[in-house]
Amino acid sequence: MSKFVIQGPQKLSGEIAVAGAKNMALKVLPAALLLNGKSILSNMPQIRDVATMIEIMKGLGANVEQNGSEVIVDPSSLSSSQISGTLSGQARTSIMIVASLLHRFGKATIGHPGGCVIGRRPIDQFLEGFQALGVTVTDTGEGYYFSADNLKGTTYFFPFVSVTATETLMLTAVKIPGTTVLKNAACEPEVKALADYLVSCGAKIEGAGTNTIRIEGVSKLNAMPCEMIPDRLETGMFAVLAAATRSPLKITRCNPEHIESLLTIFSKIGISYKQGKDWLFLPEQSGIYRSPGKIITHEYPGFATDLQPPLTVLLTQSEGLTLVHETIFEGRLFYVDLLNRMGANIILCDPHRALVQGPTPLRGKKIESPDIRAGIAMVIAGLIANGETTIDNIYQIERGYEKLDERLKALGAIIERKE
Ligand code: EPU
């Protein structure tokens, strides 16, 4: 098992370029299976989750070539409609492939989709939405069998806002005759980016980026080049890292507009920053950090649940009591025990709420990375803690962040990746 060994406390400095968005790449790859011709996908993050998705697509017979941050997908050789349970268990977004397989083969089989261990991760809305679009869904015990028996446009209201369910139904509907209206849809920038890409390929989609998406089915979609938008979660993470380590950092190739909710919280804490269209600069911070009182995770454009663990590390360095209210996932606060082991003073009130009392100095410890975002929070904690922090199970971190140790070293961090 690989691990990171970090020496803290560390001040960093310099410039860091943000990678392409993981949560766009993982949706554009399955979408490419629906298109006629080869898709050239650029600014793809070189991370494990993308590698897993490519492995699944190759397993179905697609020809996928990866050359650095460029991936070329040729779906003409697709030969199977069965996604193995072992692979689908590693990637929740494997369920998006079902959309493409339904149009290619009229059927699809999938094991139960996995993903980060941050809650129950149900797929009820995918199943209900597929059924509303005329797909017959059979629970096989080990997974699901989908059959495109009577595809038809529909109106579907999501009982909960779901990013991947919105994207999956949108992808399914683009080639279904008639009109589909998705209500209470997710508004995340990655949803809009996927829609923009599909529209460039010939799809008819209106309203993506708002909570009502209207789709007119078309019969043919032709592959077009697609560039991933900057990863807003990586942008926010680097901004928190700069603030927590009080390091001057310029974050480039990003879109600060996508993290407005985080920047609003920064202002309450007393963190200064400057922003341009595609950059964000945090100067070396000298003032006292104040508690923002409470932070509440929310669907976009609210404060992203994926930025909650890194921000909580920063809150341990802010004066006062902060309520962290995680509204999206019921398993995304358990990492606070790890921070407490490092010296933080956090009370987990229930699976959705924690009280952080700061400021508390942190001490280096040997810990494990529970999931991508809690894992990166541990890296930030290690960089501000006194002494050595060892983070095991960095497989989880590397699912979402590209060459993290190399990029942090370039900023002056003392971090080693060890087997
Ligand atoms: N939900 C249901 N039923 C469903 C689908 C979702 O009840 O059928 C619930 C979930 O249990 C959760 C809420 O709806 O409580 C929102 O989940 P959502 O479906 O939006 O999450 P997701 O699409 O599986 C994506 C990102 C996550 C991010 C969430 C929330 C990708 C690949 N993943 O997940 O990112 O946390 O949206 O913004 O896009 C990450 O990058 O580390 C990550 C976990």
Side-chain angles (χ1 to χ4, degrees):
M1 207 160 53
S2 309
K3 55 188 170 194
F4 283 146
V5 181
I6 300 170
Q7 309 297 334
Q10 284 296 309
K11 262 211 195 292
L12 317 179
S13 65
E15 244 182 68
I16 182 114
V18 169
K22 164 177 92 74
N23 292 345
M24 177 180 180
L26 291 174
K27 319 301 171 63
V28 168
L29 281 166
L33 296 181
L34 190 60
L35 311 173
N36 291 326
K38 284 186 188 176
S39 296
I40 301 175
L41 313 177
S42 58
N43 199 27
M44 294 286 279
Q46 296 170 64
I47 52 175
R48 281 186 196 266
D49 272 6
V50 165
T52 305
M53 179 55 83
I54 290 176
E55 199 185 333
I56 295 174
M57 288 164 55
K58 283 182 172 171
L60 297 171
N63 195 340
V64 188
E65 284 170 32
Q66 188 170 17
N67 191 2
S69 61
E70 185 177 275
V71 176
I72 300 177
V73 183
D74 180 357
S76 59
S77 51
L78 262 183
S79 53
S80 169
S81 61
Q82 291 189 22
I83 305 172
S84 92
T86 321
L87 285 175
S88 63
Q90 289 172 33
R92 182 169 169 84
T93 44
S94 55
I95 195 162
M96 277 200 76
I97 299 180
V98 170
S100 299
L101 296 179
L102 281 170
H103 287 293
R104 292 265 169 195
F105 299 105
K107 61 182 181 177
T109 311
I110 188 172
H112 196 82
C116 271
V117 196
I118 51 178
R120 291 172 300 117
R121 316 300 306 269
I123 57 164
D124 52 322
Q125 299 195 83
F126 295 81
L127 304 183
E128 210 178 85
F130 275 134
Q131 283 165 336
L133 288 167
V135 178
T136 303
V137 181
T138 312
D139 186 340
T140 61
E142 286 163 359
Y144 301 91
Y145 173 71
F146 302 87
S147 167
D149 291 336
N150 181 26
L151 296 181
K152 58 180 189 316
T154 191
T155 295
Y156 182 73
F157 185 95
F158 291 95
F160 302 101
V161 179
S162 164
V163 177
T164 307
T166 299
E167 293 162 326
T168 302
L169 296 193
M170 183 169 80
L171 185 62
T172 311
V174 285
K175 281 190 81 177
I176 293 181
T179 307
T180 296
V181 182
L182 302 177
K183 294 185 175 174
N184 201 24
C187 304
E188 268 66 5
E190 294 78 18
V191 177
K192 171 147 191 344
L194 175 67
D196 289 346
Y197 173 50
L198 291 170
V199 167
S200 77
C201 300
K204 291 189 179 157
I205 305 171
E206 281 174 11
T210 74
N211 59 14
T212 302
I213 304 179
R214 191 184 172 88
I215 303 148
E216 296 290 339
V218 297
S219 56
K220 202 171 166 195
L221 293 168
N222 292 319
M224 294 296 284
C226 179
E227 182 178 344
M228 300 312 115
I229 61 171
D231 195 312
R232 67 194 159 93
L233 305 170
E234 193 173 270
T235 308
M237 180 278 283
F238 282 130
V240 171
L241 173 81
T245 56
R246 295 184 182 263
S247 305
L249 212 63
K250 185 169 182 187
I251 304 163
T252 60
R253 298 190 60 184
C254 64
N255 184 348
E257 265 184 24
H258 287 169
I259 57 160
E260 206 173 340
S261 54
L262 175 69
L263 296 177
T264 305
I265 298 172
F266 272 10
S267 300
K268 287 190 181 157
I269 295 177
I271 297 163
S272 58
Y273 60 87
K274 285 187 182 150
Q275 71 185 84
K277 189 169 172 285
D278 60 358
W279 58 268
L280 180 67
F281 175 66
L282 278 94
E284 185 171 346
Q285 311 286 326
S286 52
I288 291 172
Y289 290 166
R290 296 176 301 273
S291 156
K294 64 180 170 192
I295 61 161
I296 304 175
T297 63
H298 196 276
E299 292 87 11
Y300 189 85
F303 178 61
T305 167
D306 303 286
L307 289 173
Q308 176 265 107
L311 185 66
T312 299
V313 176
L314 182 62
L315 296 174
T316 68
Q317 306 306 305
S318 309
E319 224 169 72
L321 191 65
T322 311
L323 170 68
V324 177
H325 191 170
E326 169 56 59
T327 62
I328 311 286
F329 293 110
E330 64 277 3
R332 222 172 200 178
L333 275 175
F334 296 124
Y335 70 90
V336 299
D337 278 347
L338 301 174
L339 287 180
N340 282 342
R341 268 166 45 193
M342 295 178 77
N345 183 358
I346 307 177
I347 296 169
L348 186 60
C349 311
D350 61 46
H352 287 284
R353 287 172 305 163
L355 282 168
V356 185
Q357 178 70 60
T360 47
L362 300 183
R363 301 178 293 274
K365 281 278 172 203
K366 194 170 180 326
I367 47 186
E368 274 215 350
S369 167
D371 64 77
I372 305 178
R373 308 303 176 186
I376 200 70
M378 294 307 127
V379 172
I380 298 173
L383 288 167
I384 60 174
N386 288 304
E388 185 171 284
T389 297
T390 303
I391 306 174
D392 273 330
N393 197 26
I394 59 167
Y395 167 83
Q396 286 293 344
I397 301 175
E398 293 179 337
R399 284 182 49 203
Y401 298 96
E402 178 179 320
K403 298 177 189 151
L404 187 70
D405 52 331
E406 288 174 30
R407 293 160 84 202
L408 291 180
K409 267 187 198 170
L411 298 174
I414 305 179
I415 175 168
E416 291 301 328
R417 188 183 190 284
K418 294 191 175 167
E419 292 306 321

